[in-house]
Amino acid sequence: MHIGLVGGIGPAAQDYYTRRLVGLFADANTPLEMTTVHADAPTLLANLAADRRVEQAEIFVRLTERLAEAGAGFVAVTSIAGHFCRHEFAARSPLPVIDMIDIVALHLEALGLARIGILGTKTVMQSQFYGGIPTAAVIAPSGPDLDRVHAAYIAMATAGTVNMEQREVFKSVARKLIDQAGAEAILLGGTDLVLVFNGEQSMFPVIDCAAIHAHQIAQRAIELA
């Protein structure tokens, strides 16, 4: 099945999805058919800040129409922030949508975790992953830490790189969520956080939402091939 991706919402995020999917298809010894369209990150971030869900969904719909014309069988948005309009987009999309929030929720339910810390944009953190995790308490940073994480994340996502100061913000706040708020793991509520956290090397458990999403995308495409 031909995969359609809405990319461009952070260069590191698009690169991460591409590399993951190429690797997953290589492991499965299956040819990969994929088309990526470019969404504008500053436009999405402005719509996110103003909660303009319908407007952003319509942008995704127009991009998905291009993917359908290219032969894609379904679409996925390569941005957690981009899922703020997930219901509006799914209702209008000309292609089936592989939604990250629902897939991550099922994964967390299987893990049986009760308290999960979250990092990402302010909207993702304050909404507890868009209210999409019914089986666990999602703990956001509090006070100045919330703003520090948001500012560091936006700067990192826009640049596609992370500096030492930003890295320290994420790691110190994550450690607070583990040590002081009782989180059992940290949910990477922004795709670009893979620039900071490596699940195999981290000092505490991390949940890589983008990796879970990419795996489901690959699985669905291979099953339908």
Side-chain angles (χ1 to χ4, degrees), residues 54-71:
V54 173
E55 290 85 343
Q56 187 60 46
E58 290 297 340
I59 291 172
F60 287 161
V61 167
R62 291 195 295 272
L63 293 171
T64 302
E65 288 170 350
R66 297 183 199 170
L67 293 171
E69 292 173 1

Side-chain angles (χ1 to χ4, degrees), residues 63-126:
L63 293 171
T64 302
E65 288 170 350
R66 297 183 199 170
L67 293 171
E69 292 173 1
F74 57 76
V75 61
V77 176
T78 62
S79 160
I80 297 173
H83 281 71
F84 84 103
C85 62
R86 67 191 188 107
H87 297 301
E88 292 80 5
F89 175 43
R92 295 166 172 78
S93 175
L95 293 175
V97 180
I98 299 185
D99 183 282
M100 177 195 289
I101 308 302
D102 292 338
I103 292 165
V104 171
L106 290 172
H107 181 83
L108 291 174
E109 182 178 9
L111 291 176
L113 300 176
R115 292 177 66 83
I116 304 163
I118 187 169
L119 302 176
T121 64
K122 186 176 291 187
T123 302
V124 170
M125 293 186 289
Q126 289 183 319

